Amino acid sequence: MSDSNSFKTTSNGETTVQIGNHTGIETPFFAPEVKNWHYDLHVTLDYREALDDYNPILVPAWDWPRLREKNAILQRTGEDGETPIGENEVEKLEENHPLIHFFPPELFAFRGKTNILRTYLLKHDKEAKSEFKTAFQEGKIETALDYLPKFTRPFIRSNFNPILRDFGVAKGAVSDTGEDPGEIWKNLPELHYDGFFSQIADEAMGLPSSVVIPPVPLIRRYDSDLISAVCKANSKMSEFARTDGEPRSFFHLYLHYSAFSDGSGNEEDTASKALKILRSEVERGDYAGIALTVYKGEEVFESSTAPRVGTFFRNLSSFAEEQSLPLICPRSEWLGLWATDTGVDGFSSLYNGNWVYRSGAGVDNVDQYGYTMVPSESRSLKLQSSDGTDIEDHISNGGLSGLDELPDVPPKPPADYEPENELQAKYGSSFYYRRNFGKPQKLNHVWEARQVRSAGDSSPARDHLDDSKNEYVEFEDNS
Protein backbone atom coordinates (compact mmCIF):
# COMPACT_ATOMS: atom_id res chain seq x y z
CA MET A 1 0.00 0.00 0.00
CA SER A 2 1.18 3.53 -0.73
CA ASP A 3 2.75 5.15 2.35
CA SER A 4 0.85 8.36 1.64
CA ASN A 5 -2.55 6.84 2.40
CA SER A 6 -3.79 5.99 5.88
CA PHE A 7 -7.43 5.07 6.34
CA LYS A 8 -7.37 3.73 9.88
CA THR A 9 -6.31 5.37 13.15
CA THR A 10 -6.06 3.97 16.68
CA SER A 11 -5.74 6.35 19.61
CA ASN A 12 -6.27 5.68 23.33
CA GLY A 13 -7.53 2.21 22.49
CA GLU A 14 -10.26 3.47 20.16
CA THR A 15 -10.19 2.91 16.41
CA THR A 16 -11.69 5.15 13.75
CA VAL A 17 -11.57 4.70 10.00
CA GLN A 18 -11.97 6.73 6.84
CA ILE A 19 -14.37 5.55 4.17
CA GLY A 20 -14.79 7.75 1.13
CA ASN A 21 -14.28 11.33 2.25
CA HIS A 22 -15.58 10.70 5.76
CA THR A 23 -13.05 10.42 8.57
CA GLY A 24 -13.50 9.58 12.23
CA ILE A 25 -16.00 6.75 11.70
CA GLU A 26 -16.18 4.85 14.98
CA THR A 27 -15.68 1.09 14.89
CA PRO A 28 -17.13 -1.40 14.92
CA PHE A 29 -20.05 -0.22 12.80
CA PHE A 30 -22.99 -1.87 11.08
CA ALA A 31 -23.65 -0.94 7.44
CA PRO A 32 -27.12 -1.85 6.12
CA GLU A 33 -27.18 -3.05 2.51
CA VAL A 34 -29.76 -1.52 0.18
CA LYS A 35 -31.04 -3.86 -2.51
CA ASN A 36 -34.23 -2.17 -3.79
CA TRP A 37 -36.06 1.14 -3.60
CA HIS A 38 -39.58 0.11 -2.54
CA TYR A 39 -38.40 -1.40 0.75
CA ASP A 40 -34.74 -0.83 1.56
CA LEU A 41 -34.15 2.71 0.31
CA HIS A 42 -37.44 3.94 1.78
CA VAL A 43 -36.56 2.39 5.14
CA THR A 44 -33.06 3.92 5.06
CA LEU A 45 -34.50 7.36 4.40
CA ASP A 46 -37.34 6.95 6.92
CA TYR A 47 -34.94 5.94 9.70
CA ARG A 48 -31.80 7.87 8.79
CA GLU A 49 -31.82 9.42 12.26
CA ALA A 50 -31.37 5.92 13.72
CA LEU A 51 -28.00 5.57 11.97
CA ASP A 52 -24.74 6.68 13.49
CA ASP A 53 -23.03 9.84 12.27
CA TYR A 54 -21.28 9.03 8.97
CA ASN A 55 -22.74 5.50 9.15
CA PRO A 56 -21.58 3.66 6.00
CA ILE A 57 -24.29 2.19 3.76
CA LEU A 58 -23.86 -0.54 1.14
CA VAL A 59 -25.61 0.20 -2.15
CA PRO A 60 -25.86 -1.94 -5.30
CA ALA A 61 -23.05 -1.06 -7.68
CA TRP A 62 -24.33 -0.45 -11.22
CA ASP A 63 -27.93 -0.19 -9.99
CA TRP A 64 -27.66 2.72 -7.53
CA PRO A 65 -28.28 5.49 -10.11
CA ARG A 66 -31.61 3.86 -11.03
CA LEU A 67 -32.75 3.44 -7.42
CA ARG A 68 -32.04 7.02 -6.38
CA GLU A 69 -33.91 8.38 -9.42
CA LYS A 70 -37.12 6.40 -8.95
CA ASN A 71 -40.14 8.70 -8.98
CA ALA A 72 -41.46 7.07 -5.81
CA ILE A 73 -38.24 8.15 -4.05
CA LEU A 74 -37.97 11.64 -5.50
CA GLN A 75 -41.66 12.34 -4.83
CA ARG A 76 -41.46 11.55 -1.12
CA THR A 77 -43.19 14.34 0.77
CA GLY A 78 -42.65 16.12 4.06
CA GLU A 79 -44.89 16.15 7.13
CA ASP A 80 -47.42 18.31 5.32
CA GLY A 81 -47.92 15.51 2.81
CA GLU A 82 -47.39 17.89 -0.10
CA THR A 83 -43.85 19.33 -0.19
CA PRO A 84 -41.49 17.05 -2.19
CA ILE A 85 -38.40 16.22 -0.13
CA GLY A 86 -37.20 12.99 -1.73
CA GLU A 87 -34.47 14.45 -3.92
CA ASN A 88 -33.04 16.42 -1.01
CA GLU A 89 -33.20 13.34 1.23
CA VAL A 90 -31.19 11.27 -1.22
CA GLU A 91 -28.63 14.04 -1.69
CA LYS A 92 -28.24 14.37 2.08
CA LEU A 93 -27.82 10.61 2.37
CA GLU A 94 -25.05 10.68 -0.23
CA GLU A 95 -23.44 13.71 1.39
CA ASN A 96 -23.58 12.59 5.03
CA HIS A 97 -22.96 8.86 4.67
CA PRO A 98 -20.18 7.09 2.76
CA LEU A 99 -21.76 4.77 0.21
CA ILE A 100 -20.02 1.44 -0.33
CA HIS A 101 -20.79 0.32 -3.89
CA PHE A 102 -21.00 -3.47 -3.76
CA PHE A 103 -21.78 -5.63 -6.79
CA PRO A 104 -23.43 -8.86 -5.52
CA PRO A 105 -20.54 -11.30 -6.10
CA GLU A 106 -22.75 -14.40 -6.10
CA LEU A 107 -24.14 -13.30 -9.48
CA PHE A 108 -20.76 -14.21 -10.98
CA ALA A 109 -20.29 -17.36 -8.91
CA PHE A 110 -23.15 -19.70 -9.82
CA ARG A 111 -24.66 -20.75 -13.14
CA GLY A 112 -28.11 -20.86 -11.53
CA LYS A 113 -27.99 -17.08 -10.96
CA THR A 114 -27.96 -16.08 -14.64
CA ASN A 115 -31.60 -14.95 -14.61
CA ILE A 116 -30.98 -12.68 -11.59
CA LEU A 117 -27.79 -11.32 -13.19
CA ARG A 118 -29.60 -10.57 -16.45
CA THR A 119 -32.42 -8.81 -14.58
CA TYR A 120 -29.96 -6.86 -12.45
CA LEU A 121 -27.97 -5.64 -15.44
CA LEU A 122 -30.99 -4.54 -17.47
CA LYS A 123 -33.07 -2.89 -14.76
CA HIS A 124 -31.80 0.57 -15.54
CA ASP A 125 -32.79 0.43 -19.22
CA LYS A 126 -36.39 -0.57 -19.98
CA GLU A 127 -35.86 -0.46 -23.73
CA ALA A 128 -32.79 -2.69 -23.56
CA LYS A 129 -34.67 -5.04 -21.25
CA SER A 130 -37.47 -5.38 -23.79
CA GLU A 131 -35.12 -5.74 -26.74
CA PHE A 132 -33.10 -8.41 -24.93
CA LYS A 133 -36.24 -10.44 -24.31
CA THR A 134 -37.45 -10.14 -27.88
CA ALA A 135 -34.11 -11.10 -29.38
CA PHE A 136 -33.70 -13.97 -26.95
CA GLN A 137 -37.15 -15.39 -27.68
CA GLU A 138 -36.38 -15.21 -31.39
CA GLY A 139 -33.19 -17.18 -30.86
CA LYS A 140 -30.97 -14.19 -31.74
CA ILE A 141 -28.60 -14.81 -28.88
CA GLU A 142 -25.73 -12.59 -30.03
CA THR A 143 -28.14 -9.69 -30.56
CA ALA A 144 -29.56 -10.21 -27.08
CA LEU A 145 -26.13 -10.36 -25.47
CA ASP A 146 -25.09 -7.12 -27.19
CA TYR A 147 -27.34 -5.31 -24.68
CA LEU A 148 -25.10 -6.45 -21.83
CA PRO A 149 -21.55 -5.40 -20.92
CA LYS A 150 -18.90 -7.60 -22.56
CA PHE A 151 -17.57 -8.58 -19.16
CA THR A 152 -20.88 -10.18 -18.16
CA ARG A 153 -21.78 -12.01 -21.38
CA PRO A 154 -19.89 -15.27 -20.82
CA PHE A 155 -21.53 -15.63 -17.40
CA ILE A 156 -24.98 -15.27 -18.96
CA ARG A 157 -23.98 -17.56 -21.81
CA SER A 158 -22.99 -20.31 -19.36
CA ASN A 159 -26.59 -21.21 -18.51
CA PHE A 160 -29.63 -20.00 -20.45
CA ASN A 161 -32.13 -22.31 -18.75
CA PRO A 162 -33.23 -19.93 -15.95
CA ILE A 163 -33.78 -17.20 -18.54
CA LEU A 164 -35.74 -19.54 -20.79
CA ARG A 165 -37.94 -20.37 -17.82
CA ASP A 166 -38.52 -16.70 -17.07
CA PHE A 167 -39.50 -16.01 -20.67
CA GLY A 168 -41.68 -19.10 -21.01
CA VAL A 169 -39.44 -20.59 -23.71
CA ALA A 170 -38.98 -24.35 -24.02
CA LYS A 171 -35.86 -25.72 -22.37
CA GLY A 172 -33.18 -26.43 -24.95
CA ALA A 173 -34.48 -23.85 -27.43
CA VAL A 174 -31.04 -22.27 -27.34
CA SER A 175 -27.79 -23.90 -26.28
CA ASP A 176 -25.40 -22.56 -23.67
CA THR A 177 -21.75 -23.23 -22.93
CA GLY A 178 -22.24 -24.93 -19.58
CA GLU A 179 -18.94 -23.38 -18.51
CA ASP A 180 -18.17 -23.12 -14.81
CA PRO A 181 -18.03 -19.48 -13.59
CA GLY A 182 -14.57 -20.08 -12.13
CA GLU A 183 -13.28 -21.05 -15.55
CA ILE A 184 -14.91 -17.97 -17.05
CA TRP A 185 -13.09 -15.75 -14.56
CA LYS A 186 -9.76 -17.33 -15.48
CA ASN A 187 -10.26 -16.60 -19.18
CA LEU A 188 -11.77 -13.11 -19.19
CA PRO A 189 -9.88 -10.79 -21.55
CA GLU A 190 -8.40 -7.86 -19.68
CA LEU A 191 -10.09 -5.34 -21.97
CA HIS A 192 -13.52 -6.65 -20.98
CA TYR A 193 -12.99 -5.33 -17.48
CA ASP A 194 -12.55 -1.78 -18.67
CA GLY A 195 -16.03 -0.77 -19.78
CA PHE A 196 -17.83 -2.56 -16.95
CA PHE A 197 -15.51 -1.69 -14.07
CA SER A 198 -15.00 1.88 -15.23
CA GLN A 199 -18.76 2.52 -15.28
CA ILE A 200 -19.15 1.15 -11.75
CA ALA A 201 -16.25 3.32 -10.59
CA ASP A 202 -17.43 6.45 -12.43
CA GLU A 203 -20.90 6.22 -10.90
CA ALA A 204 -19.41 5.85 -7.43
CA MET A 205 -16.73 8.52 -7.81
CA GLY A 206 -19.33 11.00 -9.06
CA LEU A 207 -20.89 11.09 -5.58
CA PRO A 208 -19.65 13.08 -2.56
CA SER A 209 -18.26 10.13 -0.57
CA SER A 210 -18.07 6.62 -1.99
CA VAL A 211 -15.87 3.55 -2.26
CA VAL A 212 -16.15 0.42 -4.39
CA ILE A 213 -15.95 -3.27 -3.55
CA PRO A 214 -15.46 -5.00 -6.92
CA PRO A 215 -16.96 -8.36 -7.93
CA VAL A 216 -14.36 -11.13 -7.68
CA PRO A 217 -14.35 -14.93 -8.13
CA LEU A 218 -15.58 -17.20 -5.35
CA ILE A 219 -12.75 -19.26 -3.87
CA ARG A 220 -13.70 -22.78 -2.69
CA ARG A 221 -10.44 -24.66 -3.17
CA TYR A 222 -7.03 -23.21 -3.82
CA ASP A 223 -6.46 -22.64 -7.53
CA SER A 224 -3.54 -20.43 -8.52
CA ASP A 225 -5.21 -19.32 -11.76
CA LEU A 226 -8.40 -18.35 -9.92
CA ILE A 227 -6.39 -16.48 -7.30
CA SER A 228 -4.72 -14.61 -10.17
CA ALA A 229 -8.19 -13.66 -11.41
CA VAL A 230 -9.03 -12.32 -7.93
CA CYS A 231 -5.91 -10.18 -8.03
CA LYS A 232 -6.64 -8.96 -11.56
CA ALA A 233 -10.20 -7.91 -10.69
CA ASN A 234 -9.05 -5.98 -7.64
CA SER A 235 -6.17 -4.38 -9.50
CA LYS A 236 -8.38 -3.29 -12.39
CA MET A 237 -10.92 -1.64 -10.08
CA SER A 238 -8.12 0.13 -8.21
CA GLU A 239 -7.13 1.76 -11.52
CA PHE A 240 -10.57 3.29 -12.01
CA ALA A 241 -11.85 4.00 -8.48
CA ARG A 242 -9.81 7.01 -7.44
CA THR A 243 -10.60 10.52 -6.24
CA ASP A 244 -7.96 13.24 -6.49
CA GLY A 245 -5.33 10.55 -6.80
CA GLU A 246 -6.42 8.70 -3.66
CA PRO A 247 -7.62 5.08 -3.85
CA ARG A 248 -11.31 4.44 -3.33
CA SER A 249 -11.39 0.70 -4.05
CA PHE A 250 -11.30 -2.08 -1.46
CA PHE A 251 -9.37 -5.28 -2.00
CA HIS A 252 -12.10 -7.92 -2.00
CA LEU A 253 -11.71 -11.57 -1.02
CA TYR A 254 -14.75 -13.83 -1.56
CA LEU A 255 -14.43 -17.14 0.25
CA HIS A 256 -16.72 -20.15 0.44
CA TYR A 257 -17.19 -21.23 4.06
CA SER A 258 -15.62 -24.60 3.23
CA ALA A 259 -12.35 -22.85 2.30
CA PHE A 260 -11.57 -22.65 6.02
CA SER A 261 -11.65 -26.41 6.57
CA ASP A 262 -10.12 -28.15 3.54
CA GLY A 263 -6.60 -28.44 4.96
CA SER A 264 -5.37 -31.75 6.36
CA GLY A 265 -2.41 -32.63 8.53
CA ASN A 266 0.31 -30.05 7.97
CA GLU A 267 -1.37 -28.73 4.84
CA GLU A 268 -2.73 -25.20 4.94
CA ASP A 269 -6.38 -24.63 4.16
CA THR A 270 -7.45 -22.56 1.16
CA ALA A 271 -8.34 -19.51 3.24
CA SER A 272 -4.86 -19.32 4.77
CA LYS A 273 -3.21 -19.60 1.36
CA ALA A 274 -5.50 -16.90 -0.04
CA LEU A 275 -4.63 -14.63 2.89
CA LYS A 276 -0.93 -14.80 1.96
CA ILE A 277 -1.76 -13.68 -1.57
CA LEU A 278 -3.96 -10.87 -0.23
CA ARG A 279 -1.11 -9.62 1.95
CA SER A 280 1.27 -9.54 -1.00
CA GLU A 281 -1.17 -7.80 -3.33
CA VAL A 282 -2.27 -5.16 -0.82
CA GLU A 283 1.31 -4.38 0.20
CA ARG A 284 2.29 -3.60 -3.37
CA GLY A 285 -1.04 -2.15 -4.50
CA ASP A 286 -3.04 0.93 -3.61
CA TYR A 287 -6.33 0.29 -1.81
CA ALA A 288 -8.69 2.13 0.53
CA GLY A 289 -9.59 -0.92 2.58
CA ILE A 290 -10.10 -4.68 2.68
CA ALA A 291 -13.41 -6.52 2.32
CA LEU A 292 -14.00 -10.17 3.16
CA THR A 293 -17.25 -11.78 2.04
CA VAL A 294 -17.92 -15.32 3.27
CA TYR A 295 -20.40 -17.29 1.20
CA LYS A 296 -22.87 -19.11 3.47
CA GLY A 297 -21.26 -17.61 6.52
CA GLU A 298 -24.05 -19.04 8.64
CA GLU A 299 -22.47 -22.46 8.10
CA VAL A 300 -19.24 -21.51 9.85
CA PHE A 301 -20.42 -22.51 13.32
CA GLU A 302 -22.38 -25.55 12.14
CA SER A 303 -19.34 -26.90 10.27
CA SER A 304 -17.16 -26.55 13.39
CA THR A 305 -14.73 -24.24 11.61
CA ALA A 306 -15.30 -21.29 13.96
CA PRO A 307 -11.86 -21.61 15.65
CA ARG A 308 -10.09 -21.57 12.25
CA VAL A 309 -12.25 -18.69 11.07
CA GLY A 310 -11.47 -16.79 14.28
CA THR A 311 -7.75 -17.26 13.69
CA PHE A 312 -8.17 -16.14 10.08
CA PHE A 313 -10.05 -13.00 11.15
CA ARG A 314 -7.38 -12.15 13.73
CA ASN A 315 -4.57 -12.56 11.19
CA LEU A 316 -6.42 -10.51 8.58
CA SER A 317 -7.33 -7.83 11.14
CA SER A 318 -3.71 -7.61 12.30
CA PHE A 319 -2.57 -7.11 8.71
CA ALA A 320 -5.23 -4.44 8.10
CA GLU A 321 -4.01 -2.66 11.23
CA GLU A 322 -0.43 -2.77 9.97
CA GLN A 323 -1.53 -1.29 6.66
CA SER A 324 -3.81 1.34 8.29
CA LEU A 325 -6.75 0.00 6.28
CA PRO A 326 -10.36 -0.56 7.41
CA LEU A 327 -11.55 -4.18 7.29
CA ILE A 328 -15.23 -4.84 6.63
CA CYS A 329 -17.27 -8.01 6.17
CA PRO A 330 -20.25 -7.61 3.82
CA ARG A 331 -23.17 -10.03 4.19
CA SER A 332 -21.93 -11.27 7.56
CA GLU A 333 -24.64 -10.28 10.05
CA TRP A 334 -24.02 -12.00 13.43
CA LEU A 335 -20.93 -13.80 12.12
CA GLY A 336 -19.57 -10.33 11.36
CA LEU A 337 -20.63 -9.01 14.75
CA TRP A 338 -18.72 -11.88 16.39
CA ALA A 339 -15.71 -11.08 14.20
CA THR A 340 -15.54 -7.52 15.55
CA ASP A 341 -13.89 -9.01 18.64
CA THR A 342 -10.96 -9.96 16.40
CA GLY A 343 -10.55 -6.46 14.98
CA VAL A 344 -13.04 -6.37 12.09
CA ASP A 345 -14.18 -2.76 11.71
CA GLY A 346 -17.58 -3.18 10.10
CA PHE A 347 -20.20 -5.81 9.30
CA SER A 348 -23.30 -5.68 7.16
CA SER A 349 -26.51 -7.41 6.22
CA LEU A 350 -29.19 -7.20 3.58
CA TYR A 351 -32.41 -5.78 4.96
CA ASN A 352 -34.22 -9.04 4.25
CA GLY A 353 -31.65 -11.03 6.22
CA ASN A 354 -30.60 -13.19 3.26
CA TRP A 355 -26.95 -13.87 2.58
CA VAL A 356 -27.33 -13.59 -1.22
CA TYR A 357 -29.65 -12.13 -3.85
CA ARG A 358 -32.62 -14.36 -4.48
CA SER A 359 -35.49 -14.24 -6.95
CA GLY A 360 -39.13 -14.85 -6.19
CA ALA A 361 -41.08 -14.63 -2.94
CA GLY A 362 -42.84 -17.00 -0.61
CA VAL A 363 -46.27 -18.16 -1.71
CA ASP A 364 -47.54 -18.76 1.80
CA ASN A 365 -49.21 -15.72 3.38
CA VAL A 366 -46.92 -15.84 6.42
CA ASP A 367 -43.79 -16.20 4.26
CA GLN A 368 -44.66 -12.95 2.52
CA TYR A 369 -44.08 -11.13 5.81
CA GLY A 370 -40.47 -12.28 5.83
CA TYR A 371 -38.25 -12.54 8.89
CA THR A 372 -38.03 -9.88 11.59
CA MET A 373 -34.98 -9.31 13.79
CA VAL A 374 -35.29 -9.82 17.55
CA PRO A 375 -32.33 -7.82 18.91
CA SER A 376 -32.57 -9.20 22.45
CA GLU A 377 -32.07 -12.72 21.06
CA SER A 378 -29.72 -11.96 18.15
CA ARG A 379 -31.87 -13.84 15.66
CA SER A 380 -34.66 -13.33 13.14
CA LEU A 381 -38.05 -15.02 13.27
CA LYS A 382 -41.11 -15.44 11.06
CA LEU A 383 -44.29 -13.61 11.98
CA GLN A 384 -45.99 -16.92 12.72
CA SER A 385 -44.49 -20.38 13.10
CA SER A 386 -45.72 -23.85 13.98
CA ASP A 387 -42.45 -24.94 15.55
CA GLY A 388 -41.38 -22.55 18.28
CA THR A 389 -41.23 -18.88 19.18
CA ASP A 390 -42.27 -16.36 16.55
CA ILE A 391 -42.69 -12.60 16.21
CA GLU A 392 -46.37 -12.83 17.11
CA ASP A 393 -45.32 -14.24 20.50
CA HIS A 394 -43.04 -11.27 21.08
CA ILE A 395 -45.75 -8.84 20.03
CA SER A 396 -48.22 -10.39 22.44
CA ASN A 397 -45.62 -10.08 25.22
CA GLY A 398 -45.01 -6.38 24.72
CA GLY A 399 -43.17 -6.06 21.41
CA LEU A 400 -39.50 -5.78 20.55
CA SER A 401 -36.73 -3.63 21.97
CA GLY A 402 -33.72 -1.94 20.47
CA LEU A 403 -33.03 1.50 19.09
CA ASP A 404 -35.25 4.18 20.61
CA GLU A 405 -36.00 5.53 17.14
CA LEU A 406 -37.50 2.24 15.96
CA PRO A 407 -41.03 0.99 16.61
CA ASP A 408 -41.52 -1.44 19.46
CA VAL A 409 -45.16 -2.23 18.66
CA PRO A 410 -46.62 -3.84 15.55
CA PRO A 411 -47.77 -1.53 12.79
CA LYS A 412 -51.47 -0.93 12.35
CA PRO A 413 -53.28 -1.32 9.01
CA PRO A 414 -54.19 1.99 7.34
CA ALA A 415 -57.64 3.21 8.29
CA ASP A 416 -58.97 2.79 4.77
CA TYR A 417 -57.44 -0.63 4.29
CA GLU A 418 -59.80 -3.56 3.71
CA PRO A 419 -58.08 -6.71 5.01
CA GLU A 420 -58.39 -9.87 2.97
CA ASN A 421 -57.47 -12.26 5.77
CA GLU A 422 -56.72 -12.45 9.48
CA LEU A 423 -53.02 -11.65 9.07
CA GLN A 424 -53.77 -8.45 7.22
CA ALA A 425 -56.41 -7.50 9.77
CA LYS A 426 -53.79 -7.74 12.53
CA TYR A 427 -50.63 -6.46 10.89
CA GLY A 428 -51.52 -4.86 7.59
CA SER A 429 -50.46 -6.12 4.19
CA SER A 430 -47.10 -7.90 3.94
CA PHE A 431 -45.76 -4.87 2.07
CA TYR A 432 -46.94 -2.48 4.80
CA TYR A 433 -45.57 -4.72 7.58
CA ARG A 434 -42.15 -5.17 5.99
CA ARG A 435 -41.62 -1.51 5.15
CA ASN A 436 -42.92 -0.14 8.46
CA PHE A 437 -41.85 -2.79 10.93
CA GLY A 438 -39.96 -5.86 9.73
CA LYS A 439 -37.16 -4.22 7.76
CA PRO A 440 -36.67 -1.21 10.09
CA GLN A 441 -35.97 -3.69 12.90
CA LYS A 442 -32.88 -4.79 10.95
CA LEU A 443 -31.30 -1.47 11.91
CA ASN A 444 -31.05 -2.78 15.45
CA HIS A 445 -27.67 -4.08 14.28
CA VAL A 446 -26.62 -0.41 14.61
CA TRP A 447 -27.62 -0.69 18.27
CA GLU A 448 -25.62 -3.93 18.62
CA ALA A 449 -22.51 -2.21 17.22
CA ARG A 450 -22.96 0.62 19.73
CA GLN A 451 -23.23 -1.90 22.55
CA VAL A 452 -19.93 -3.47 21.48
CA ARG A 453 -18.21 -0.07 21.19
CA SER A 454 -19.30 0.99 24.66
CA ALA A 455 -18.43 -2.29 26.41
CA GLY A 456 -15.25 -2.39 28.44
CA ASP A 457 -14.43 -6.10 28.30
CA SER A 458 -12.13 -7.86 25.86
CA SER A 459 -14.75 -9.83 23.91
CA PRO A 460 -17.97 -7.80 23.98
CA ALA A 461 -19.44 -9.31 20.81
CA ARG A 462 -18.88 -12.85 22.08
CA ASP A 463 -20.46 -11.91 25.42
CA HIS A 464 -23.44 -10.40 23.61
CA LEU A 465 -23.90 -13.52 21.47
CA ASP A 466 -23.24 -16.05 24.22
CA ASP A 467 -26.80 -15.69 25.44
CA SER A 468 -28.34 -15.47 21.99
CA LYS A 469 -30.92 -17.91 20.73
CA ASN A 470 -29.58 -17.74 17.20
CA GLU A 471 -29.70 -21.16 15.56
CA TYR A 472 -26.37 -20.83 13.75
CA VAL A 473 -24.26 -19.08 16.42
CA GLU A 474 -22.70 -21.77 18.59
CA PHE A 475 -19.47 -21.41 20.55
CA GLU A 476 -17.32 -24.27 21.71
CA ASP A 477 -17.04 -24.73 25.46
CA ASN A 478 -13.62 -23.44 26.53
CA SER A 479 -13.88 -24.77 30.07
Side-chain angles (χ1 to χ4, degrees):
M1 176 189 149
S2 172
D3 293 336
S4 62
N5 297 311
S6 178
F7 298 99
K8 189 172 186 175
T9 304
T10 300
S11 177
N12 298 321
E14 295 184 353
T15 299
T16 60
V17 297
Q18 175 182 344
I19 297 180
N21 293 327
H22 286 89
T23 60
I25 300 171
E26 294 183 82
T27 68
F29 60 80
F30 169 73
E33 180 179 345
V34 172
K35 176 185 177 184
N36 52 49
W37 60 269
H38 49 284
Y39 287 125
D40 301 354
L41 184 50
H42 269 287
V43 169
T44 304
L45 295 173
D46 287 342
Y47 293 92
R48 191 161 58 87
E49 295 302 315
L51 300 174
D52 288 326
D53 292 340
Y54 312 143
N55 201 125
I57 298 168
L58 269 70
V59 299
W62 184 270
D63 198 33
W64 175 246
R66 180 187 71 92
L67 297 190
R68 72 178 308 285
E69 294 296 331
K70 293 293 292 187
N71 287 336
I73 295 298
L74 299 181
Q75 293 172 3
R76 285 167 57 91
T77 57
E79 293 182 1
D80 61 7
E82 297 180 0
T83 306
I85 63 171
E87 185 172 4
N88 183 62
E89 282 185 315
V90 172
E91 290 176 351
K92 288 294 184 184
L93 188 76
E94 294 172 334
E95 180 181 336
N96 296 327
H97 296 275
L99 301 188
I100 301 173
H101 293 247
F102 181 72
F103 196 104
E106 67 272 13
L107 301 188
F108 293 123
F110 303 100
R111 293 178 64 242
K113 297 282 187 182
T114 51
N115 58 332
I116 308 176
L117 175 59
R118 173 260 311 171
T119 301
Y120 186 98
L121 293 168
L122 292 173
K123 276 182 177 179
H124 69 285
D125 191 334
K126 289 184 178 180
E127 183 176 348
K129 183 177 180 180
S130 176
E131 294 296 332
F132 178 95
K133 180 177 180 179
T134 299
F136 197 89
Q137 289 177 324
E138 293 176 351
K140 300 175 181 177
I141 303 304
E142 297 305 322
T143 300
L145 292 175
D146 281 345
Y147 291 101
L148 303 174
K150 286 184 178 180
F151 178 93
T152 70
R153 294 175 194 173
F155 294 96
I156 296 291
R157 193 190 295 275
S158 71
N159 184 17
F160 289 139
N161 283 336
I163 303 174
L164 291 170
R165 183 182 64 244
D166 284 355
F167 292 164
V169 179
K171 187 176 181 179
V174 296
S175 58
D176 53 44
T177 66
E179 191 173 10
D180 179 79
E183 295 302 312
I184 294 173
W185 274 104
K186 289 188 279 188
N187 295 300
L188 279 170
E190 189 163 342
L191 287 176
H192 287 188
Y193 284 85
D194 293 355
F196 185 57
F197 276 33
S198 64
Q199 180 170 339
I200 290 174
D202 287 348
E203 289 170 355
M205 298 306 99
L207 299 176
S209 183
S210 292
V211 296
V212 177
I213 298 177
V216 294
L218 174 64
I219 304 299
R220 297 171 182 260
R221 297 289 182 269
Y222 191 83
D223 179 325
S224 59
D225 291 335
L226 200 57
I227 292 292
S228 294
V230 171
C231 297
K232 179 190 289 186
N234 282 298
S235 177
K236 291 299 292 186
M237 186 59 79
S238 72
E239 293 179 18
F240 298 114
R242 308 185 72 81
T243 299
D244 297 329
E246 283 200 341
R248 289 292 183 264
S249 180
F250 277 44
F251 189 99
H252 188 196
L253 189 59
Y254 185 31
L255 293 177
H256 194 278
Y257 78 93
S258 63
F260 296 96
S261 61
D262 64 336
S264 59
N266 296 323
E267 184 181 336
E268 281 189 306
D269 59 38
T270 292
S272 299
K273 294 177 183 177
L275 178 56
K276 290 182 177 179
I277 301 298
L278 177 149
R279 291 175 63 97
S280 174
E281 290 297 313
V282 171
E283 284 175 345
R284 69 182 185 185
D286 208 10
Y287 297 95
I290 299 171
L292 170 67
T293 305
V294 180
Y295 178 73
K296 285 194 174 181
E298 73 273 25
E299 300 284 348
V300 163
F301 294 98
E302 294 183 6
S303 62
S304 300
T305 59
R308 289 191 181 192
V309 175
T311 299
F312 181 92
F313 276 132
R314 282 188 287 274
N315 290 337
L316 180 56
S317 298
S318 177
F319 174 69
E321 185 77 26
E322 292 172 10
Q323 298 295 307
S324 298
L325 294 176
L327 170 60
I328 66 173
C329 293
R331 307 276 183 83
S332 59
E333 203 169 32
W334 285 291
L335 172 66
L337 175 63
W338 168 67
T340 62
D341 279 349
T342 69
V344 168
D345 298 304
F347 62 105
S348 83
S349 170
L350 283 161
Y351 271 99
N352 61 12
N354 289 332
W355 293 76
V356 296
Y357 272 31
R358 294 176 178 171
S359 60
V363 176
D364 182 83
N365 285 331
V366 173
D367 287 347
Q368 292 176 10
Y369 286 77
Y371 284 80
T372 302
M373 177 182 173
V374 184
S376 60
E377 299 179 0
S378 298
R379 63 172 172 169
S380 296
L381 299 171
K382 292 177 67 171
L383 178 57
Q384 291 181 345
S385 173
S386 60
D387 57 353
T389 306
D390 52 36
I391 292 299
E392 196 164 50
D393 290 334
H394 284 276
I395 289 172
S396 65
N397 290 322
L400 305 176
S401 60
L403 288 170
D404 292 338
E405 294 88 346
L406 297 179
D408 61 358
V409 294
K412 303 297 183 181
D416 60 351
Y417 183 74
E418 294 294 333
E420 296 180 2
N421 55 47
E422 183 181 352
L423 275 178
Q424 292 184 3
K426 283 185 176 181
Y427 308 113
S429 66
S430 59
F431 178 85
Y432 180 83
Y433 174 94
R434 295 177 78 177
R435 180 186 280 187
N436 295 283
F437 185 68
K439 286 180 179 282
Q441 288 291 342
K442 182 62 68 175
L443 292 177
N444 278 300
H445 283 306
V446 174
W447 169 77
E448 286 183 321
R450 289 176 188 163
Q451 297 295 104
V452 170
R453 289 202 300 267
S454 63
D457 50 4
S458 59
S459 55
R462 163 81 183 247
D463 293 342
H464 176 80
L465 291 169
D466 253 335
D467 297 325
S468 79
K469 298 181 180 179
N470 193 302
E471 291 80 0
Y472 74 79
V473 177
E474 298 181 4
F475 298 112
E476 294 184 357
D477 187 0
N478 293 324
S479 60

